[in-house]
Amino acid sequence: MEYIPIIVLVLSFVGLLAIGMPVAWSIAISSVLTMLVSIPALPAFTTISQRMGTGLDSFALLAIPFFVLSGQLMNKGGIANRLIAFAKTLVGSLPGGLALINVIGAMLMGAIAGSAMASASAMGSILGPEMEKEGYSKEFGAAVNITSATTGLIIPPSNVLIVYSLASGGVSIAALFLAGYVPGILTGLFLMIVAMFWAKKKKYKLGERSTLKQVFKTFIDALPSLFLLVIVIGGIITGIFTATEASAIAVLYTLVLGFIYKEISFKSLPEILLESSATTAIVMLLIGASMSMSWVMSYENIPQDISTLLLGISDNKIVILLIINLLLLFVGIFMDMTPAVLIFTPIFLPVVTELGMDPIHFGIIMVLNLCIGLCTPPVGSVLFVGVGVAQTSIEKVIKPLVPLFLAMIFALFLVTYFPQLTLWLPGLFDL
């Protein structure tokens, strides 16, 4: 009898996904069905709806709609063009120069916008045609764009890290933001190394070397955009404002910048606000449904059962972390990032904390794992955006994607087993 709730939860969730039910509805319905095993219908429905509402009742979650809006404003406000121009002067003359520009541009764009899909859309639409013109294959350009776009979910500000803070019971957002820098940059560097080797192998044309004057000019052009990082992250670390307040400041700053660059007008604002509202609504529905499922699992003691099972397999930290990584990589293939963080954090966090792992370190490991999932079918949202922008097919992109996947997995391995890569910066600021 004790395993019936978990069987109902898993089978109903997987079954609903298999028939094409949207993820949020699959989570909510499977949560209700699981509760019906233990309590009557009326209390079950009431409890799930109440938990969905309670799950969204968090001040920290206000940061998400603001960061989504600031990402949209950056995407439409000419910021991506200036970041790409700056990246071009830095690495444009190296082997695979345009691919490296894509990676650096995505890291900078992600660090400012905090959105992988916005980054993939902006970088793909601007750099894709240019890469094709220079002789790069469309599929290689799409593969680089897809994988590099995910670095913005590790490098702060990141909505996913805010969600993890909520799911973990209040891990410091400032500490998580700082912890993401080294793993995010490391992942970007490994992607650049693979891109350089691929470009050399395919003998893609080298770009022209930029002069110091050109580097300085593009840096000055990009400086107002980059300064947003100083304002947002600097303000959070020094305690001048919270992550939520920082997100509102980011909206105001990017709006003013868009008007200064003359890329945003009052006429275009309604469309930007509508797109941001739609994205926020999807994310919030996922969060509400996922929080109800997390509560159901807690009510049915599912996390404790899984924790006992994992620790029963081995008490070796290396083995347990390997199993958790493999499970999260598998989960990332079939589930979107936000619900995965909300559902699996309460399951795995007690296991790793019992083994002595810092929750900040585990948060970065979890997000890195799920970033790989964003690039894999059938649910990989960034994969679909990247392929759509490049006007190619998933089948054709898989071959150049594989070495880039391996680069991301190698970065994940280093971050998992060398915690100082994650915890060094938070420790430096006593967070």
Side-chain angles (χ1 to χ4, degrees), residues 339-357:
V341 168
L342 287 165
I343 292 165
F344 289 94
T345 298
I347 293 175
F348 293 134
L349 190 57
V351 179
V352 296
T353 47
E354 194 164 321
L355 294 170
M357 179 180 272

Side-chain angles (χ1 to χ4, degrees), residues 89 209-221:
T89 58
R209 189 179 293 275
S210 300
T211 63
L212 277 174
K213 187 180 176 183
Q214 287 171 315
V215 174
F216 182 72
K217 184 184 178 303
T218 56
F219 172 69
I220 294 299
D221 283 345

Side-chain angles (χ1 to χ4, degrees), residues 236-290:
I236 294 170
I237 292 165
T238 54
I240 296 169
F241 40 71
T242 65
T244 306
E245 291 161 348
S247 64
I249 289 164
V251 169
L252 186 63
Y253 185 89
T254 48
L255 183 62
V256 171
L257 208 57
F259 279 116
I260 290 170
Y261 288 158
K262 295 181 180 175
E263 302 271 357
I264 293 174
S265 64
F266 285 107
K267 207 177 195 179
S268 62
L269 277 180
E271 186 190 345
I272 293 169
L273 290 169
L274 193 63
E275 285 178 15
S276 303
S277 301
T279 304
T280 301
I282 293 164
V283 172
M284 289 304 182
L285 181 60
L286 279 168
I287 290 173
S290 302

Side-chain angles (χ1 to χ4, degrees), residues 262-394:
K262 295 181 180 175
E263 302 271 357
I264 293 174
S265 64
F266 285 107
K267 207 177 195 179
S268 62
L269 277 180
E271 186 190 345
I272 293 169
L273 290 169
L274 193 63
E275 285 178 15
S276 303
S277 301
T279 304
T280 301
I282 293 164
V283 172
M284 289 304 182
L285 181 60
L286 279 168
I287 290 173
S290 302
M291 290 299 282
S292 71
M293 183 181 270
S294 295
W295 186 87
V296 169
M297 289 193 298
S298 177
Y299 178 80
E300 300 290 355
N301 289 320
I302 292 170
Q304 291 88 329
D305 292 341
I306 293 174
S307 177
T308 305
L309 179 68
L310 282 174
L311 293 171
I313 295 169
S314 172
D315 58 359
N316 186 312
K317 191 175 177 179
I318 294 170
V319 174
I320 293 294
L321 285 175
L322 180 62
I323 293 169
I324 289 173
N325 273 329
L326 290 172
L327 286 170
L328 286 172
L329 285 170
F330 180 74
V331 164
I333 293 171
F334 299 102
M335 193 180 286
D336 199 39
M337 187 175 261
T338 300
V341 168
L342 287 165
I343 292 165
F344 289 94
T345 298
I347 293 175
F348 293 134
L349 190 57
V351 179
V352 296
T353 47
E354 194 164 321
L355 294 170
M357 179 180 272
D358 194 302
I360 295 167
H361 181 205
F362 180 67
I364 301 301
I365 291 172
M366 175 171 261
V367 173
L368 255 178
N369 266 294
L370 297 172
C371 279
I372 297 169
L374 290 177
C375 308
T376 55
V379 183
S381 51
V382 178
L383 172 68
F384 292 120
V385 170
V387 166
V389 170
Q391 296 179 339
T392 182
S393 67
I394 291 170

